[in-house]
Amino acid sequence: MAGGGPDLSPPSISAVVPIHNEEGNIPELHRRLDAAMRALGRTYEIVYIDDGSSDKSLPLLLDLRAAQPDQIVVLELYRNYGQFRALVGGFERVRGEIVVTLDADLQNPPEEIPKLVRLLEEGGYDVVNGWRRNRQDSAFRRIASRAANRIAAALTGVRMRDYGCMLRAYRRDVIRQIVACHEQSPYIPTLANALARRATEIEVAHAPRHSGRSNYSLWKLIHLQYDMVTSFSVLPLRWLSVLGAAIAVLSLLAGAGMVVASLYGVGAGLGLVPALVIVLFLLLGVIFLTLGFVGEYVGRIYNEVRQRPRFVVRTVHSGRKPLAGPREDVEEERPRRIVDLRDDV
Ligand code: UDP
Ligand code: MG
């Protein structure tokens, strides 16, 4: 910011990192991320989103920003909204032509960024996904991810081996479209691939968490999978109704069969009670499953209809005034519903 005020020309590349209680990772993350961005030899910015941390993450980020005000933007959310909503908050403010996302816990090595950027540019892709071949997570997480990847590929029709890796590079157009989607529970990996004209994946290294614990409990992981499936498609509803219809037809046939058999006196001595109980329980299970799914969608419709802000920004710690970039264009198309509590923009 030499003399003439803040530099308003947009940087070439933006990195976006969501942060929830990562105090043990931030110094090392920034050191390595900043070095990787610098090594690209272009103008860059790093957007850190503090997603309602209760540890020292925010003060640490603000210290980093104080030291590099031209490169670092810290977005301070009002409370914890979850990784993907936090990312959308960052996406609203990125200014680079190319946007890279990664996790803060150093599971995604920042040194891999140039590889992704190169493939994006040279291959003419809109999204390049990282694929963690040697994943450093628990066996349970790896197995669960394998199932989730299959479902995601079936739902989106885009075949990727790893939908869960957040080490990715996107063109700004895709980021703009994600922001314009206004979904309450954006599931960015599938959304990005479905919006892109051309998406691909490339093998990237993966490391164990540098410090601290995963933010995802089993319950949060289940919630995430529901986000993925329901935010993308109504297919489960269709599968369930087809299943329901098939079961109904089968039980009608079975009933008719029993009537015919009893007319001929076949099976009169067999106790039918156990069979009936099993059928009853099976039906009950199906009904509950169906109701659960229907309820899930109804709940989501309710959420969308309420139009609550997806997240609330407390402060944008940025030297730029005004913030230029994709958000402005998107705003013209659609009025924003996000409440801003910013005071030092
Ligand atoms: N994260 C976030 N908000 C949350 C949960 C996670 O911003 O509510 C961030 C977290 O700080 C990290 C990334 O999302 O940068 C991935 O989280 P984590 O490493 O805990 O997930 P895992 O690797 O276990 O899937
Ligand atoms: Mg992690």
Side-chain angles (χ1 to χ4, degrees), residues 223-245:
H223 187 86
L224 205 62
Q225 297 316 308
Y226 264 81
D227 277 352
M228 181 183 85
V229 173
T230 56
S231 71
F232 217 83
S233 127
V234 291
L235 264 185
L237 278 180
R238 254 174 249 159
W239 292 337
L240 282 169
S241 40
V242 168
L243 186 69

Side-chain angles (χ1 to χ4, degrees), residues 169-227:
Y170 320 70
R171 263 177 219 281
R172 205 170 74 162
D173 290 348
V174 172
I175 296 297
R176 230 154 136 163
Q177 292 181 58
I178 293 176
V179 170
C181 278
H182 274 287
E183 308 202 2
Q184 285 292 328
S185 309
Y187 193 80
I188 291 173
T190 44
L191 206 52
N193 281 320
L195 294 172
R197 288 163 305 182
R198 293 185 72 212
T200 189
E201 65 187 339
I202 186 171
E203 196 180 321
V204 290
H206 194 237
R209 201 169 226 284
H210 178 69
S211 154
R213 289 193 306 135
S214 168
N215 285 292
Y216 284 97
S217 59
L218 177 61
W219 180 243
K220 269 181 140 183
L221 282 175
I222 292 173
H223 187 86
L224 205 62
Q225 297 316 308
Y226 264 81
D227 277 352

Side-chain angles (χ1 to χ4, degrees), residues 22 71 89 141 153 170 228 252 329:
E22 304 280 11
Q71 277 87 33
R141 287 293 295 268
Y170 320 70
M228 181 183 85
L252 279 177
D329 314 7

